[in-house]
Amino acid sequence: MNSNADNLTVPQFGPPMRPAPTQDTVDLRRLLIALWRRKWLIVGATVIGMLIAYAIVSRLTPQYTARASVMLDPRTVQVVTSDEIISDLTLNNSVVDTELAVLRSNLLLEQVIASFGPGELDPIDPANDPPGLLSRLRGAIGLGGSGGGAEGASAPITQEERRMRRLLVSMRRKVTVWREGQSYLLSIGVTTTDAVLSKEIANRIAETYISSQIEQRSATIRSASSFLTERVEEIRASVEAAEAAVEEFRRSQLETAGVSAETLEQQLLELSSQVSVAKADLASVKSRFDRIQTLIDAEGIEAASELLSSPLVVALREQLLALRREDADLATRLGPEHPQRQRLQAQIDAIVEDLAAEVRKIVAGLRNDAEVAQIRSESLESSLSEIEERAGAMSRSSLELRQLEREAEAIRSIYQMMLERLNETRSVEQLQRADARMVNTAQVPGAPSAPRTTLFSVLGGTVGFMIGVIAALAGAISTRGFNRASEIERSFGITVLTSLPLGAWRSLRGMQKSIQKLPYQPFADRLRILRENIRPRHISGTQRTVLITSSVPGEGKTTTAVGLATVEGLAHRRCVLLDFDLRRSNLGRELEYDPQGGGDLTALLRGECNVEAAVHRVDPFGFDLITTRGRNPQLIDDTSVERLREVIKDLESRYEMVIVDTPPVLLVADTLTLVGLIDTVLMVVKQTTTRRNAVQDTLRTVEDAGARSIGLVMSMVDSRDEQETYGTSGDYSYANR
């Protein structure tokens, strides 16, 4: 034994064990397996947690939540084309946050409270709530009351004001306003104990918010309309005064000048036109006269007649031309002295004289026309100069008139603009709309929103599950037993001959039938390993005795003994199972103990029968059984050690293996009497259950009792714990393959 077992020197079976390396790492897989073993603890904690949470939640008053939604609408209805009287909201995050604050404001909530009738808000009035524990304690020690005596003395408030304050505080707690993501949708949630009241409050808040927007805009426009009306009246008076000043100045100017500026300007325009026409006529007449007079002086009157278009001149020129053609024709036949030509010449001279007289007359008329045009032009110019002088004088005196007219026009423009704005304002007042509209009206909730029984039950189950896992982990980590064979070997330095997996059978007969049906299952193979680990001590021609015991009951020693005997019997080896667990043994009943000789272990030890009379053949498993027919706790005390040795020696001579099943060492002293008579002591240690100090005390007790050699067997091992070492469990038989 090593130092961990207080330096015990128990003789171990086989060579000394080499200490196994210490493992400081956490085996997650083994930890999960340990949790699975404690699954019912976890399940139980989960169920208890759910039940506790459900019990707590079911006692709470149900709360109902109703939700209404309003949307800030950026769209506008443009009826008039002028600038807006009140601009619409330019939506951004700051504006949306501001509107959220408005929905939570005291003023809005006070309007909502005022819209309800008497008694409708009693379910949320804190004054109607039952007194809490703190209030009852204060009342019990005489500290009740509102505590506002000083305030009441300095600023008394009415019962209605107190009620409004209570309801306002209560409603602020029960109303939640939030923005849906990054949209312009604002949601209003109201949670109360009354489903219908939650719906009504949510809808009232939304409706009051929208109507207050319209009312505020209308009030603003009415104020603007009133201001514009007053301003229009003031400007109208100013326009009338300015126009009166202009008319008064024009009247005084007309009295002074005799004519109005417009008349004088018209006369000036007409005279200017007449002067221009007269000058043009004068220039035309004078130009014609000068050209005719110049031609007469240069070429004569006959040449000047060609420029005149008078009918008489034209006729005379035609006659003169005809006579000269006739004279030219006669000149070809007659001489100048011919009478006919003389008559013709006289006619030509007469016509020339008439033509000259007519030309002189026309020239004289042109001279007269030029003189008349000259006189007329000079007269018109004189009149024009006079009118211009009068107009200049009137223009200089009209500077003040033009200033008055400009002032009147400016005031008239302002008046026109204000009048149009007033008419637009009066029109827009009837077209006001809110910046928000309701998109979702609150409905009566069909189920309470709190407490959420299912959610809290699941949460309680989760907490219970966590507590169960923690407890299971604590149990797995702080276990007082052994999880692996290597832990036993490392603690005590004694070889663990085998580890027997936990079987699914419920009785010894079930275990035997399982081995018979599946002879190569892991449990049977581990028993064979146990047998082979014991075999090296055999000497040809000698027998072997094995004592199987444990520290405390329930560790599987009897199962191990019967299993080992069954494996030996099925292998056709002579084996006997000797039952010395005289106080609690059920081997006789379970294996149907009925020896043919009529004896039993009691009779054998007392010498009343031989071995053959006490042996019962356990068929079809091929081993023998010797036990008592009933419980006999005093049998060991009544039997001498020598008699025990004789019986064991007799059995050794008859069987290849003698298996002795004894009671737990720490509870019954019978085992210690037999330890010194047996070749090998096999101590069964149950996985995770057998305490370390129990194993240590048992080893020390067995050593003190004179054990020749000791081996350990770990029982009821979870097969999953050994898959890493031994592979998966199952039938590993090569038979019939």
Side-chain angles (χ1 to χ4, degrees):
M1 296 295 290
N2 59 10
S3 59
N4 291 338
D6 296 335
N7 297 322
L8 293 176
T9 58
V10 179
Q12 63 170 325
F13 186 83
M17 282 295 302
R18 180 180 299 174
T22 302
Q23 298 181 357
D24 296 329
T25 60
V26 176
D27 191 337
L28 181 60
R29 180 177 173 278
R30 294 186 62 83
L31 200 58
L32 294 177
I33 292 173
L35 290 178
W36 178 250
R37 289 176 182 156
R38 295 167 174 81
K39 57 182 178 293
W40 294 115
L41 171 64
I42 299 175
V43 171
T46 303
V47 173
I48 292 174
M50 293 179 66
L51 293 176
I52 292 175
Y54 178 80
I56 294 174
V57 171
S58 62
R59 297 177 62 87
L60 300 178
T61 303
Q63 300 288 322
Y64 297 88
T65 299
R67 190 186 76 171
S69 299
V70 297
M71 184 182 73
L72 299 178
D73 194 355
R75 296 171 293 183
T76 59
V77 179
Q78 192 72 24
V79 178
V80 294
T81 58
S82 61
D83 294 337
E84 297 175 319
I85 306 301
I86 298 179
S87 62
D88 294 303
L89 292 178
T90 302
L91 295 182
N92 52 46
N93 290 333
S94 299
V95 171
V96 174
D97 291 340
T98 301
E99 295 304 309
L100 287 174
V102 171
L103 282 168
R104 302 188 191 99
S105 64
N106 290 349
L107 294 178
L108 183 67
L109 295 181
E110 287 177 356
Q111 295 179 26
V112 173
I113 294 172
S115 67
F116 284 90
E120 292 184 354
L121 294 179
D122 286 348
I124 66 171
D125 191 345
N128 298 324
D129 294 340
L133 178 61
L134 181 60
S135 299
R136 291 196 296 268
L137 290 176
R138 294 178 61 184
I141 61 177
L143 296 179
S146 61
E151 180 183 357
S154 60
I157 59 176
T158 64
Q159 292 295 328
E160 184 60 27
E161 290 174 341
R162 294 179 186 275
R163 176 178 175 275
M164 177 62 74
R165 291 184 182 182
R166 293 196 306 269
L167 291 176
L168 185 60
V169 173
S170 176
M171 189 167 290
R172 287 182 66 89
R173 293 174 180 173
K174 298 180 182 300
V175 174
T176 305
V177 183
W178 70 93
R179 178 183 183 182
E180 298 289 352
Q182 294 300 314
S183 66
Y184 297 139
L185 194 65
L186 308 182
S187 293
I188 306 164
V190 179
T191 302
T192 68
T193 58
D194 189 332
V196 177
L197 183 59
S198 296
K199 182 206 75 169
E200 289 296 329
I201 294 177
N203 288 333
R204 294 281 182 93
I205 291 175
E207 293 167 358
T208 304
Y209 170 68
I210 294 174
S211 62
S212 65
Q213 284 189 340
I214 298 176
E215 182 179 351
Q216 290 174 2
R217 292 173 69 96
S218 298
T220 302
I221 291 178
R222 286 195 298 270
S223 176
S225 177
S226 176
F227 168 77
L228 289 174
T229 300
E230 296 176 358
R231 186 61 178 159
V232 164
E233 292 298 327
E234 294 176 359
I235 297 177
R236 179 187 288 118
S238 300
V239 169
E240 291 175 353
E243 291 179 346
V246 170
E247 292 300 325
E248 178 63 24
F249 188 87
R250 285 178 177 174
R251 185 184 61 78
S252 62
Q253 188 182 51
L254 182 60
E255 291 177 354
T256 303
V259 295
S260 64
E262 290 80 4
T263 303
L264 192 61
E265 184 177 356
Q266 185 177 2
Q267 291 177 357
L268 182 61
L269 181 60
E270 292 177 354
L271 282 176
S272 297
S273 300
Q274 291 177 8
V275 169
S276 299
V277 172
K279 287 183 178 181
D281 293 343
L282 175 61
S284 175
V285 171
K286 189 175 181 180
S287 173
R288 186 179 180 190
F289 172 76
D290 291 340
R291 186 174 55 178
I292 293 174
Q293 186 63 45
T294 301
L295 187 59
I296 292 174
D297 293 340
E299 298 182 9
I301 293 177
E302 186 176 352
S305 64
E306 296 180 356
L307 299 176
L308 300 176
S309 58
S310 172
L312 181 58
V313 173
V314 173
L316 290 176
R317 286 180 60 198
E318 291 178 352
Q319 292 177 7
L320 181 60
L321 182 59
L323 290 174
R324 285 179 176 172
R325 282 198 299 270
E326 185 179 358
D327 182 62
D329 184 53
L330 291 177
T332 58
R333 298 189 311 268
L334 300 175
E337 298 299 331
H338 189 281
Q340 189 176 354
R341 291 191 64 191
Q342 288 292 327
R343 285 193 305 275
L344 192 60
Q345 185 63 41
Q347 292 177 355
I348 293 172
D349 292 339
I351 291 174
V352 169
E353 185 63 27
D354 292 338
L355 182 61
E358 184 64 25
V359 169
R360 291 190 189 94
K361 186 191 306 183
I362 291 173
V363 170
L366 291 173
R367 183 182 297 110
N368 185 56
D369 290 341
E371 292 175 356
V372 172
Q374 180 68 35
I375 293 171
R376 181 172 179 274
S377 176
E378 291 175 355
S379 175
L380 289 173
E381 288 181 352
S382 175
S383 298
L384 180 61
S385 298
E386 181 182 355
I387 294 297
E388 287 178 347
E389 289 179 0
R390 292 176 61 188
M394 183 173 288
S395 176
R396 287 189 295 273
S397 65
S398 297
L399 290 176
E400 185 178 355
L401 175 62
R402 288 194 292 274
Q403 179 64 26
L404 291 175
E405 289 177 342
R406 284 193 294 271
E407 292 177 357
E409 183 62 27
I411 297 175
R412 192 180 297 111
S413 299
I414 295 174
Y415 174 71
Q416 184 66 28
M417 181 186 67
M418 297 297 288
L419 189 60
E420 292 176 356
R421 197 62 170 171
L422 176 60
N423 292 332
E424 292 172 359
T425 302
R426 289 174 176 174
S427 300
V428 170
E429 184 177 356
Q430 308 301 323
L431 300 175
Q432 285 308 299
R433 55 185 295 274
D435 294 319
R437 59 187 178 91
M438 185 177 291
V439 296
N440 181 33
T441 59
Q443 303 297 323
V444 178
S449 59
R452 302 175 66 178
T453 305
T454 303
L455 177 62
F456 279 96
S457 297
V458 172
L459 181 60
T462 303
V463 173
F465 174 80
M466 295 175 63
I467 293 174
V469 170
I470 293 173
L473 287 174
I477 294 173
S478 61
T479 181
R480 292 170 292 183
F482 301 94
N483 288 318
R484 291 185 177 183
S486 59
E487 295 178 8
I488 303 176
E489 295 172 347
R490 188 166 55 247
S491 298
F492 303 105
I494 298 178
T495 304
V496 177
L497 301 180
T498 191
S499 296
L500 299 177
L502 179 65
W505 49 81
R506 297 182 178 275
S507 65
L508 295 176
R509 278 293 187 183
M511 179 266 291
Q512 290 178 304
K513 292 178 180 179
S514 176
I515 294 176
Q516 184 183 29
K517 182 179 180 180
L518 299 173
Y520 300 102
Q521 62 178 289
F523 182 76
D525 280 337
R526 298 295 177 83
L527 290 173
R528 293 187 185 95
I529 292 173
L530 176 60
R531 181 190 66 196
E532 295 302 320
N533 284 334
I534 297 174
R535 189 178 296 278
R537 289 292 301 272
H538 285 190
I539 301 175
S540 179
T542 64
Q543 306 301 321
R544 181 66 177 174
T545 56
V546 178
L547 183 146
I548 300 178
T549 188
S550 63
S551 300
V552 292
E555 296 188 341
K557 62 176 183 58
T558 300
T559 302
T560 303
V562 174
L564 183 59
T566 302
V567 170
E568 287 291 288
L570 292 176
H572 305 292
R573 292 186 175 90
R574 297 189 310 276
C575 177
V576 63
L577 174 59
L578 189 60
D579 182 14
F580 268 97
D581 193 354
L582 303 175
R583 300 187 184 186
R584 297 184 57 183
S585 176
N586 294 318
L587 281 178
R589 179 177 55 81
E590 292 197 28
L591 300 183
E592 300 176 357
Y593 179 69
D594 187 16
Q596 296 297 323
D600 64 354
L601 181 60
T602 301
L604 178 62
L605 292 179
R606 290 176 179 175
E608 297 173 357
C609 69
N610 56 17
V611 172
E612 288 81 358
V615 169
H616 168 73
R617 187 72 172 179
V618 183
D619 289 325
F621 305 107
F623 69 91
D624 293 339
L625 171 65
I626 300 177
T627 182
T628 59
R629 292 183 181 275
R631 296 181 180 180
N632 190 359
Q634 296 83 18
L635 183 59
I636 295 294
D637 292 337
D638 294 341
T639 306
S640 65
V641 176
E642 291 301 326
R643 178 56 184 167
L644 292 174
R645 181 177 290 109
E646 290 176 4
V647 172
I648 292 174
K649 289 294 184 181
D650 188 10
L651 293 175
E652 285 180 349
S653 65
R654 298 171 182 269
Y655 297 93
E656 296 180 50
M657 179 175 289
V658 178
I659 301 173
V660 182
D661 181 22
T662 62
V665 173
L666 298 182
L667 298 181
V668 181
D670 296 353
T671 304
L672 302 180
T673 304
L674 298 170
V675 165
L677 307 177
I678 304 301
D679 295 332
T680 299
V681 176
L682 293 181
M683 179 180 173
V684 178
V685 179
K686 184 178 178 181
Q687 184 187 37
T688 71
T689 301
T690 307
R691 298 185 178 184
R692 297 171 182 265
N693 57 355
V695 175
Q696 179 176 324
D697 292 343
T698 301
L699 291 174
R700 181 182 293 107
T701 302
V702 171
E703 177 191 16
D704 294 341
R708 302 175 186 177
S709 64
I710 299 175
L712 298 178
V713 176
M714 179 171 277
S715 65
M716 302 185 190
V717 176
D718 192 330
S719 59
R720 293 168 296 183
D721 286 346
E722 298 190 336
Q723 288 180 6
E724 295 179 357
T725 304
Y726 299 102
T728 57
S729 60
D731 187 2
Y732 199 67
S733 171
Y734 289 96
N736 300 324
R737 295 190 180 181

